[in-house]
Amino acid sequence: MLKSKHLLGIKELTPEEIYHILDTASGFKDVLMRDIKKVPPLRGKTVVSLFFEPSTRTRTSFALAAKRLSADDVNFSVSSSSVVKGESILDTALTIQSLGADLMIIRHSSSGVPHYLSRSLNISVVNAGDGSNEHPTQALLDLFTIRSHKKDIKGLEVAIIGDIAHSRVAKSNIYGLTKLGARVRVICPPTLMPAGLEKLGADVFHNIDEGIKGADVVMALRIQLERQSKGFLPSLKEYFNLYGLTGERMKLAKKDAIVMHPGPMNRGVEIASDVADGPQSVILEQVTNGIAVRMAVLYLLSGVKQ
Ligand code: CP
């Protein structure tokens, strides 16, 4: 059981709750391997997705997760909704609740929007990414993927490279990995390092070679130009020269290290194509695992008898 009826961040979860979600997702992964990839537990429930920012992976995998669980799945289109007439986000959410939604999945460019809505709604709210704060289901699918390649998350050395300051994926992963006993190294230019990051329990590196050395997992992050004002980077070419994940640099990690990226990727900026498509890459597995993990989240928050 999860203590809260919402999933707002990894920060709020206990290690036991994280493992419970991952174990539940393992069962759903088996369902997804069958010829008929559908089970009935959420029959009669309605899942509504509100994405105020673009998405390919998260939006599609939540929609598939809801369908695989036999829920009714509604994709709310912000651009053709009354939001464009000035309706507030709270009035929009209350309207969707009144229309009969049981679970609301929300992505927004402002940190804290899912938390704000959860205080006024009776239904479950799932954070699908809020500004630069958290992206909990991405971290859960990353943990699931790591666990499927490495026996135990405890004791692993995980290097996260990139735009840490603007990355909700980095923050959710730091919370999750440290709660499960991994050591996290964050690698980025000083301009992309948020203040107080060390307090989250991560070791900070500004030299990529030092940071990757001996890592079990190497995760590259997207440079989030849409969240940056000018001046964080001299140029994308220089960023790739100093911080791009290349085959040469991967030789510094452990031989059996895996390469991860939450997507969408900027090839030739944060990661070289031969690494993204190479034998150590589990990037497309991450995408596939996202469905099972999101099925687990919807199922555990739905209130159906487990
Ligand atoms: N990783 C991730 O959140 O991807 P999308 O923006 O495509 O959903």
Side-chain angles (χ1 to χ4, degrees):
M1 279 293 288
L2 303 181
K3 280 198 304 279
S4 172
K5 68 176 180 182
H6 308 294
L7 177 64
L8 302 176
I10 302 292
K11 190 178 181 181
E12 291 85 10
L13 296 179
T14 63
E16 293 71 29
E17 288 178 306
I18 296 173
Y19 278 124
H20 185 42
I21 296 170
L22 300 184
D23 291 341
T24 306
S26 288
F28 287 129
K29 180 104 193 247
D30 294 341
V31 169
L32 295 173
M33 308 296 270
R34 297 181 197 158
D35 285 344
I36 297 170
K37 302 172 175 54
K38 200 157 181 158
V39 282
L42 263 62
R43 193 181 289 151
K45 298 278 182 189
T46 302
V47 178
V48 180
S49 297
L50 286 86
F51 278 64
F52 289 81
E53 275 193 337
S55 168
T56 298
R57 283 146 283 268
T58 312
R59 184 202 289 260
T60 310
S61 62
F62 264 120
L64 284 169
K67 288 182 203 304
R68 301 292 188 236
L69 292 166
S70 304
D72 294 318
D73 154 53
V74 178
N75 192 358
F76 174 87
S77 166
V78 174
S79 61
S80 58
S81 75
S82 291
V83 169
V84 295
K85 298 181 203 162
E87 188 164 48
S88 75
I89 190 158
L90 180 56
D91 284 335
T92 302
L94 288 168
T95 300
I96 287 169
Q97 175 174 273
S98 300
L99 287 169
D102 298 291
L103 292 119
M104 184 176 293
I105 298 156
I106 180 148
R107 169 173 287 191
H108 202 280
S109 58
S110 296
S111 299
V113 166
H115 310 67
Y116 164 68
L117 295 180
S118 72
R119 291 193 281 275
S120 299
L121 296 175
N122 301 319
I123 60 176
S124 293
V125 175
V126 182
N127 181 358
D130 64 320
S132 56
N133 179 42
E134 280 224 43
H135 191 348
T137 57
Q138 179 67 46
L140 289 166
L141 74 89
D142 291 340
L143 292 168
F144 185 92
T145 305
I146 294 170
R147 197 158 77 138
S148 71
H149 283 271
K150 307 285 170 192
K151 277 198 186 73
D152 199 351
I153 288 175
K154 194 172 175 190
L156 290 179
E157 293 282 345
V158 181
I160 304 179
I161 312 159
D163 185 355
I164 310 295
H166 301 96
S167 176
R168 53 198 178 204
V169 175
K171 288 179 197 82
S172 288
N173 265 303
I174 293 168
Y175 288 129
L177 286 160
T178 54
K179 277 174 197 262
L180 301 192
R183 284 204 67 84
V184 181
R185 313 160 179 186
V186 294
I187 307 164
C188 66
T191 49
L192 293 178
M193 176 65 64
L197 191 86
E198 295 87 344
K199 287 196 203 117
L200 302 186
D203 297 321
V204 177
F205 292 80
H206 297 307
N207 179 297
I208 187 169
D209 294 352
E210 287 170 18
I212 287 184
K213 204 170 171 188
D216 298 282
V217 176
V218 182
M219 184 186 296
L221 299 177
R222 185 172 68 87
I223 292 291
Q224 303 201 16
L225 293 172
E226 75 277 20
R227 291 188 217 288
Q228 295 186 11
S229 51
K230 283 194 172 69
F232 283 98
L233 300 169
S235 72
L236 295 182
K237 191 165 180 285
E238 179 150 338
Y239 179 81
F240 182 70
N241 287 339
L242 291 173
Y243 291 98
L245 186 57
T246 61
E248 272 310 300
R249 288 180 170 144
M250 269 311 294
K251 285 181 190 159
L252 299 167
K254 289 209 178 113
K255 267 195 168 48
D256 62 349
I258 55 171
V259 171
M260 306 180 79
H261 193 303
M265 285 185 278
N266 295 306
R267 290 169 183 260
V269 177
E270 67 261 1
I271 189 165
S273 268
D274 61 326
V275 176
D277 303 328
Q280 289 170 283
S281 172
V282 298
I283 293 169
L284 291 176
E285 271 179 56
Q286 289 173 260
V287 176
T288 306
N289 290 337
I291 304 174
V293 166
R294 289 176 174 122
M295 285 173 80
V297 167
L298 295 178
Y299 172 68
L300 293 171
L301 296 179
S302 66
V304 295
K305 210 163 181 268
Q306 287 151 28

PDB file of all heavy atoms in Angstrom, residues 291-305:
ATOM      1  N   ILE A 291       5.809   1.732 -19.429  1.00  0.00           N
ATOM      2  CA  ILE A 291       4.392   1.323 -19.432  1.00  0.00           C
ATOM      3  C   ILE A 291       4.087   0.496 -18.177  1.00  0.00           C
ATOM      4  O   ILE A 291       3.110   0.753 -17.475  1.00  0.00           O
ATOM      5  CB  ILE A 291       4.037   0.520 -20.710  1.00  0.00           C
ATOM      6  CG1 ILE A 291       4.385   1.326 -21.955  1.00  0.00           C
ATOM      7  CG2 ILE A 291       2.544   0.156 -20.706  1.00  0.00           C
ATOM      8  CD1 ILE A 291       4.201   0.543 -23.254  1.00  0.00           C
ATOM      9  N   ALA A 292       4.947  -0.493 -17.894  1.00  0.00           N
ATOM     10  CA  ALA A 292       4.705  -1.352 -16.725  1.00  0.00           C
ATOM     11  C   ALA A 292       4.734  -0.540 -15.427  1.00  0.00           C
ATOM     12  O   ALA A 292       3.904  -0.748 -14.529  1.00  0.00           O
ATOM     13  CB  ALA A 292       5.756  -2.460 -16.678  1.00  0.00           C
ATOM     14  N   VAL A 293       5.681   0.386 -15.339  1.00  0.00           N
ATOM     15  CA  VAL A 293       5.798   1.194 -14.117  1.00  0.00           C
ATOM     16  C   VAL A 293       4.570   2.097 -13.968  1.00  0.00           C
ATOM     17  O   VAL A 293       4.018   2.250 -12.873  1.00  0.00           O
ATOM     18  CB  VAL A 293       7.114   2.011 -14.156  1.00  0.00           C
ATOM     19  CG1 VAL A 293       7.116   3.112 -13.108  1.00  0.00           C
ATOM     20  CG2 VAL A 293       8.301   1.078 -13.963  1.00  0.00           C
ATOM     21  N   ARG A 294       4.113   2.659 -15.069  1.00  0.00           N
ATOM     22  CA  ARG A 294       2.937   3.558 -14.974  1.00  0.00           C
ATOM     23  C   ARG A 294       1.662   2.751 -14.721  1.00  0.00           C
ATOM     24  O   ARG A 294       0.751   3.238 -14.064  1.00  0.00           O
ATOM     25  CB  ARG A 294       2.870   4.442 -16.215  1.00  0.00           C
ATOM     26  CG  ARG A 294       4.014   5.458 -16.155  1.00  0.00           C
ATOM     27  CD  ARG A 294       4.186   6.362 -17.318  1.00  0.00           C
ATOM     28  NE  ARG A 294       5.227   7.332 -17.016  1.00  0.00           N
ATOM     29  CZ  ARG A 294       6.345   7.515 -17.731  1.00  0.00           C
ATOM     30  NH1 ARG A 294       6.570   6.816 -18.825  1.00  0.00           N
ATOM     31  NH2 ARG A 294       7.239   8.404 -17.349  1.00  0.00           N
ATOM     32  N   MET A 295       1.606   1.515 -15.220  1.00  0.00           N
ATOM     33  CA  MET A 295       0.482   0.633 -14.860  1.00  0.00           C
ATOM     34  C   MET A 295       0.479   0.427 -13.346  1.00  0.00           C
ATOM     35  O   MET A 295      -0.569   0.506 -12.702  1.00  0.00           O
ATOM     36  CB  MET A 295       0.607  -0.729 -15.564  1.00  0.00           C
ATOM     37  CG  MET A 295       0.271  -0.692 -17.042  1.00  0.00           C
ATOM     38  SD  MET A 295       0.644  -2.272 -17.867  1.00  0.00           S
ATOM     39  CE  MET A 295      -0.790  -3.269 -17.418  1.00  0.00           C
ATOM     40  N   ALA A 296       1.660   0.178 -12.782  1.00  0.00           N
ATOM     41  CA  ALA A 296       1.752  -0.048 -11.328  1.00  0.00           C
ATOM     42  C   ALA A 296       1.289   1.178 -10.555  1.00  0.00           C
ATOM     43  O   ALA A 296       0.544   1.076  -9.574  1.00  0.00           O
ATOM     44  CB  ALA A 296       3.191  -0.414 -10.958  1.00  0.00           C
ATOM     45  N   VAL A 297       1.714   2.352 -11.009  1.00  0.00           N
ATOM     46  CA  VAL A 297       1.342   3.595 -10.299  1.00  0.00           C
ATOM     47  C   VAL A 297      -0.174   3.805 -10.361  1.00  0.00           C
ATOM     48  O   VAL A 297      -0.826   4.069  -9.341  1.00  0.00           O
ATOM     49  CB  VAL A 297       2.109   4.799 -10.912  1.00  0.00           C
ATOM     50  CG1 VAL A 297       1.530   6.124 -10.431  1.00  0.00           C
ATOM     51  CG2 VAL A 297       3.601   4.700 -10.567  1.00  0.00           C
ATOM     52  N   LEU A 298      -0.754   3.657 -11.559  1.00  0.00           N
ATOM     53  CA  LEU A 298      -2.208   3.866 -11.690  1.00  0.00           C
ATOM     54  C   LEU A 298      -2.967   2.846 -10.837  1.00  0.00           C
ATOM     55  O   LEU A 298      -3.920   3.191 -10.137  1.00  0.00           O
ATOM     56  CB  LEU A 298      -2.633   3.745 -13.160  1.00  0.00           C
ATOM     57  CG  LEU A 298      -2.088   4.820 -14.114  1.00  0.00           C
ATOM     58  CD1 LEU A 298      -2.557   4.543 -15.548  1.00  0.00           C
ATOM     59  CD2 LEU A 298      -2.526   6.221 -13.686  1.00  0.00           C
ATOM     60  N   TYR A 299      -2.526   1.601 -10.896  1.00  0.00           N
ATOM     61  CA  TYR A 299      -3.188   0.531 -10.146  1.00  0.00           C
ATOM     62  C   TYR A 299      -3.125   0.794  -8.632  1.00  0.00           C
ATOM     63  O   TYR A 299      -4.141   0.737  -7.930  1.00  0.00           O
ATOM     64  CB  TYR A 299      -2.518  -0.796 -10.494  1.00  0.00           C
ATOM     65  CG  TYR A 299      -2.948  -1.979  -9.683  1.00  0.00           C
ATOM     66  CD1 TYR A 299      -4.226  -2.487  -9.803  1.00  0.00           C
ATOM     67  CD2 TYR A 299      -2.060  -2.598  -8.789  1.00  0.00           C
ATOM     68  CE1 TYR A 299      -4.646  -3.583  -9.051  1.00  0.00           C
ATOM     69  CE2 TYR A 299      -2.453  -3.684  -8.047  1.00  0.00           C
ATOM     70  CZ  TYR A 299      -3.742  -4.166  -8.172  1.00  0.00           C
ATOM     71  OH  TYR A 299      -4.126  -5.250  -7.418  1.00  0.00           O
ATOM     72  N   LEU A 300      -1.931   1.144  -8.144  1.00  0.00           N
ATOM     73  CA  LEU A 300      -1.766   1.316  -6.694  1.00  0.00           C
ATOM     74  C   LEU A 300      -2.473   2.565  -6.171  1.00  0.00           C
ATOM     75  O   LEU A 300      -2.858   2.617  -5.006  1.00  0.00           O
ATOM     76  CB  LEU A 300      -0.272   1.364  -6.336  1.00  0.00           C
ATOM     77  CG  LEU A 300       0.495   0.054  -6.557  1.00  0.00           C
ATOM     78  CD1 LEU A 300       2.002   0.259  -6.399  1.00  0.00           C
ATOM     79  CD2 LEU A 300       0.001  -1.029  -5.601  1.00  0.00           C
ATOM     80  N   LEU A 301      -2.641   3.587  -7.029  1.00  0.00           N
ATOM     81  CA  LEU A 301      -3.324   4.815  -6.582  1.00  0.00           C
ATOM     82  C   LEU A 301      -4.828   4.769  -6.808  1.00  0.00           C
ATOM     83  O   LEU A 301      -5.538   5.653  -6.326  1.00  0.00           O
ATOM     84  CB  LEU A 301      -2.751   6.038  -7.326  1.00  0.00           C
ATOM     85  CG  LEU A 301      -1.285   6.404  -7.090  1.00  0.00           C
ATOM     86  CD1 LEU A 301      -0.912   7.620  -7.920  1.00  0.00           C
ATOM     87  CD2 LEU A 301      -1.008   6.673  -5.609  1.00  0.00           C
ATOM     88  N   SER A 302      -5.292   3.774  -7.548  1.00  0.00           N
ATOM     89  CA  SER A 302      -6.691   3.798  -8.013  1.00  0.00           C
ATOM     90  C   SER A 302      -7.699   3.538  -6.913  1.00  0.00           C
ATOM     91  O   SER A 302      -8.887   3.807  -7.074  1.00  0.00           O
ATOM     92  CB  SER A 302      -6.881   2.747  -9.112  1.00  0.00           C
ATOM     93  OG  SER A 302      -6.696   1.463  -8.533  1.00  0.00           O
ATOM     94  N   GLY A 303      -7.229   2.966  -5.825  1.00  0.00           N
ATOM     95  CA  GLY A 303      -8.155   2.645  -4.744  1.00  0.00           C
ATOM     96  C   GLY A 303      -8.844   1.307  -4.949  1.00  0.00           C
ATOM     97  O   GLY A 303      -9.662   0.918  -4.114  1.00  0.00           O
ATOM     98  N   VAL A 304      -8.537   0.581  -6.039  1.00  0.00           N
ATOM     99  CA  VAL A 304      -9.159  -0.732  -6.209  1.00  0.00           C
ATOM    100  C   VAL A 304      -8.558  -1.693  -5.177  1.00  0.00           C
ATOM    101  O   VAL A 304      -7.401  -1.523  -4.764  1.00  0.00           O
ATOM    102  CB  VAL A 304      -8.986  -1.314  -7.651  1.00  0.00           C
ATOM    103  CG1 VAL A 304      -9.701  -0.461  -8.664  1.00  0.00           C
ATOM    104  CG2 VAL A 304      -7.521  -1.528  -7.994  1.00  0.00           C
ATOM    105  N   LYS A 305      -9.333  -2.671  -4.768  1.00  0.00           N
ATOM    106  CA  LYS A 305      -8.896  -3.638  -3.757  1.00  0.00           C
ATOM    107  C   LYS A 305      -7.693  -4.416  -4.302  1.00  0.00           C
ATOM    108  O   LYS A 305      -7.766  -4.977  -5.392  1.00  0.00           O
ATOM    109  CB  LYS A 305     -10.044  -4.582  -3.410  1.00  0.00           C
ATOM    110  CG  LYS A 305      -9.991  -5.090  -2.027  1.00  0.00           C
ATOM    111  CD  LYS A 305     -11.338  -5.653  -1.632  1.00  0.00           C
ATOM    112  CE  LYS A 305     -11.279  -6.125  -0.240  1.00  0.00           C
ATOM    113  NZ  LYS A 305     -11.020  -7.201   0.301  1.00  0.00           N
TER     114      LYS A 305
END
